[in-house]
Amino acid sequence: MSHFFDPRTLKSQKRAIAALLILLVSGCRQTSQSASPEAPQQPLMSRSTPASCDRADPFATAANKAQTAANLAQKARSPQEWQKVALHWMQAIERMEAIPLSSPKRPFAEKKVREYQQNLVIAQNNAAVGQQLPFESFESRFLDEQLLLYLSYVAAMGTPDILVVGSSRALQGVDPQQLEAELAQRGQPNVKVFNFGVNGATAQVVDTIVREIIPPEQLPKLIIWADGVRAFNSGRVDRTYNAIAPSKGYQKLLTSGVRPTLPIEETNFDNDCDRTHGMSISQILNFFPIEMAQATDVNAINANGFLPDETRFNPATYYQKYPRVAGRYDSDYANLNLWGQQTVALKRLVAYTKEQNIPLIIVNLPLTQDYLDPVRQRAEQQFAAFMQYLAQQEGFVFTNFNQYSALQNNNLFTDPSHLNRFGAIAVSRQLITQPQIPWEKLTQPQ
């Protein structure tokens, strides 16, 4: 399993990055004398930059930012000084990544991005300070951290065009950056994708996230709900939702109607022709990875909310470490009931996305043949038929990736039911080929 960060320091880094970027975001506000202090804040992607920036060479700008970061790092001693170093590395990475794919400089630029990312991690480690969540906890570590990352992403990049939701299977099973690349090759560049997968999420949890927690103005143009039977089985105990419902975060949301936000602080930083020009620093939070709780052996989630895992499933060695559980004893399939509270939550969400004019795509993610014993196979067939019926009745798109044998290869999985990074790439590529998904929606103004 690959880790971008040293696992021994992940926990402190997460809080360090959150603290660093909350401070940074408040510092990138435009400092022009002509700017009105009453001017409303705008998302990063909608802010205008000087006309000369359109003609600026991103490679040269990135190189200048990197040199500035290197110079500052030579003198940095305090956390605040290292925070400024980190900001310049972020800006250098962003500018280097802005070099067009067709540019002859692109292969070299990709190498420089990896080099800059290593330097960024050093700066973040040196700036490590404690930081509490800026909102009340929902008693789900994954939900808390993914929500923090999503709010940060929206502040930095603007609202994503596509939001991926679901459980850990979605978290590991759809690669946002691969999906962005596939769409670019189709002639739809600059599409932004974020993965809001939450470990243990069911239909009730997904409904709560999309309909109640995320503000309507921060919703995407299209939602891809990637999961399977477990998320819709009302016959099993929904432990994740049962923990969220009485939490301080959810109860505060119900009583006050105020959704979680990030703080905005005022400090001044230099700016130039990068996409952080003219923003406040609680609007840059998290271009980069934040550590997540180690539940089911997860590693660092990246800036797009995706959990890459390079482990390849090998039954011969896997079952030496973990017991083989037959379908009849699998709690995910126990007491299969597709007409209970999970379906009620699904219908609520379908109605809401229709009101918001957001197409909802539900994808039944693939499973290994090793996992699909007769009990699970029957349940999967029942589930697929049920979802196809419901899709026709309720008006959403359902696609069954379990029907593609090429996606059931063990090398695409980290365990019998969770995709690895290579499987997530394959799923993202397969998604693009689905004609029933209204990809044209992404190019329409919202």
Side-chain angles (χ1 to χ4, degrees):
M1 186 178 297
S2 66
H3 292 265
F4 184 71
F5 293 134
D6 182 343
R8 293 170 297 179
T9 59
L10 283 176
K11 187 162 187 146
S12 63
Q13 287 172 4
K14 175 190 72 67
R15 291 302 179 205
I17 297 168
L20 157 67
L21 292 175
I22 285 178
L23 290 172
L24 289 179
V25 183
S26 64
C28 289
R29 296 193 68 182
Q30 195 166 351
T31 58
S32 169
Q33 292 293 327
S34 60
S36 168
E38 303 298 325
Q41 291 296 310
Q42 303 174 26
L44 169 61
M45 298 302 287
S46 69
R47 285 187 176 270
S48 61
T49 53
S52 60
C53 293
D54 296 335
R55 299 186 298 274
D57 177 6
F59 185 88
T61 306
N64 288 337
K65 277 292 180 186
Q67 186 61 53
T68 301
N71 292 340
L72 291 172
Q74 294 297 317
K75 303 176 181 178
R77 296 293 181 270
S78 68
Q80 292 75 19
E81 290 170 334
W82 280 109
Q83 288 162 7
K84 194 168 184 178
V85 173
L87 172 62
H88 282 83
W89 283 124
M90 290 177 191
Q91 293 173 337
I93 291 168
E94 187 279 320
R95 283 290 81 200
M96 202 61 84
E97 288 181 334
I99 294 173
L101 294 173
S102 58
S103 171
K105 300 177 183 178
R106 182 70 186 195
F108 179 72
E110 290 176 353
K111 296 287 187 182
K112 296 303 288 184
V113 164
R114 286 192 283 273
E115 176 186 318
Y116 293 170
Q117 287 173 334
Q118 292 172 352
N119 294 334
L120 172 65
V121 172
I122 294 171
Q124 290 169 334
N125 288 342
N126 288 327
V129 291
Q131 175 68 20
Q132 298 297 316
L133 284 171
F135 47 79
E136 293 283 0
S137 172
F138 286 86
E139 295 304 325
S140 164
R141 184 68 180 275
F142 268 78
L143 175 53
D144 287 345
E145 301 295 353
Q146 284 289 70
L147 176 57
L148 174 61
L149 182 56
Y150 183 73
L151 294 173
S152 303
Y153 179 95
V154 171
M157 305 299 292
T159 300
D161 301 291
I162 300 174
L163 184 65
V164 178
V165 293
S167 66
S168 57
R169 293 185 64 195
L171 185 69
Q172 295 181 213
V174 182
D175 185 342
Q177 292 171 317
Q178 185 66 39
L179 195 52
E180 290 172 357
E182 297 293 332
L183 285 164
Q185 289 184 4
R186 283 172 47 103
Q188 293 179 285
N190 304 318
V191 171
K192 303 189 296 293
V193 186
F194 187 89
N195 189 324
F196 205 133
V198 171
N199 194 38
T202 59
Q204 291 186 117
V205 174
V206 170
D207 173 56
T208 299
I209 292 170
V210 175
R211 192 171 52 83
E212 299 185 276
I213 294 178
I214 298 178
E217 65 273 15
Q218 293 183 359
L219 288 172
K221 295 179 179 179
L222 186 146
I223 294 175
I224 296 176
W225 186 349
D227 222 306
V229 171
R230 175 191 174 280
F232 301 91
N233 181 10
S234 298
R236 59 181 299 280
V237 177
D238 192 343
R239 293 185 177 85
T240 306
Y241 180 77
N242 289 348
I244 293 170
S247 69
K248 290 183 179 179
Y250 188 62
Q251 290 302 311
K252 181 177 180 180
L253 178 63
L254 291 180
T255 55
S256 70
V258 177
R259 303 176 196 237
T261 59
L262 294 181
I264 296 177
E265 297 183 21
E266 304 297 337
T267 1
N268 290 324
F269 272 82
D270 59 318
N271 20 173
D272 56 15
C273 301
D274 53 59
R275 284 190 295 184
T276 59
H277 175 80
M279 349 167 353
S280 75
I281 269 195
S282 53
Q283 291 182 308
I284 278 187
L285 251 156
N286 256 323
F287 276 100
F288 302 97
I290 278 185
E291 174 265 343
M292 299 296 293
Q294 295 292 310
T296 66
D297 194 28
V298 298
N299 63 336
I301 286 176
N302 71 18
N304 291 75
F306 171 61
L307 176 57
D309 190 332
E310 296 193 4
T311 305
R312 295 181 188 263
F313 172 57
N314 181 347
T317 57
Y318 181 84
Y319 292 116
Q320 291 178 3
K321 298 179 180 178
Y322 307 101
R324 184 188 292 270
V325 179
R328 69 169 66 183
Y329 303 114
D330 188 341
S331 60
D332 288 356
Y333 292 83
N335 305 314
L336 185 62
N337 174 13
L338 299 174
W339 289 103
Q341 72 271 16
Q342 303 297 350
T343 298
V344 171
L346 166 60
K347 289 183 176 182
R348 277 199 306 265
L349 184 56
V350 170
Y352 179 70
T353 53
K354 283 182 179 179
E355 291 174 5
Q356 301 294 326
N357 193 28
I358 302 173
L360 177 63
I361 319 300
I362 298 182
V363 181
N364 187 28
L365 289 172
L367 299 161
T368 60
Q369 285 294 335
D370 183 85
Y371 188 68
L372 290 172
D373 63 10
V375 171
R376 294 191 182 99
Q377 188 67 58
R378 283 194 299 271
E380 287 292 330
Q381 292 170 351
Q382 183 180 344
F383 173 68
F386 172 78
M387 293 300 288
Q388 287 165 356
Y389 165 78
L390 210 59
Q392 294 176 351
Q393 295 295 312
E394 301 293 330
F396 60 87
V397 174
F398 174 74
T399 183
N400 184 13
F401 277 17
N402 242 338
Q403 64 184 324
Y404 299 117
S405 58
L407 294 179
Q408 296 180 319
N409 189 309
N410 287 346
N411 285 329
L412 301 181
F413 289 78
T414 185
D415 62 34
S417 61
H418 288 82
L419 291 156
N420 60 23
R421 183 173 68 85
F422 313 103
I425 291 172
V427 162
S428 299
R429 288 173 174 168
Q430 189 66 49
L431 276 168
I432 296 297
T433 69
Q434 303 301 305
Q436 67 272 42
I437 299 179
W439 300 114
E440 68 281 0
K441 173 79 173 175
L442 302 175
T443 59
Q444 298 172 0
Q446 201 161 8

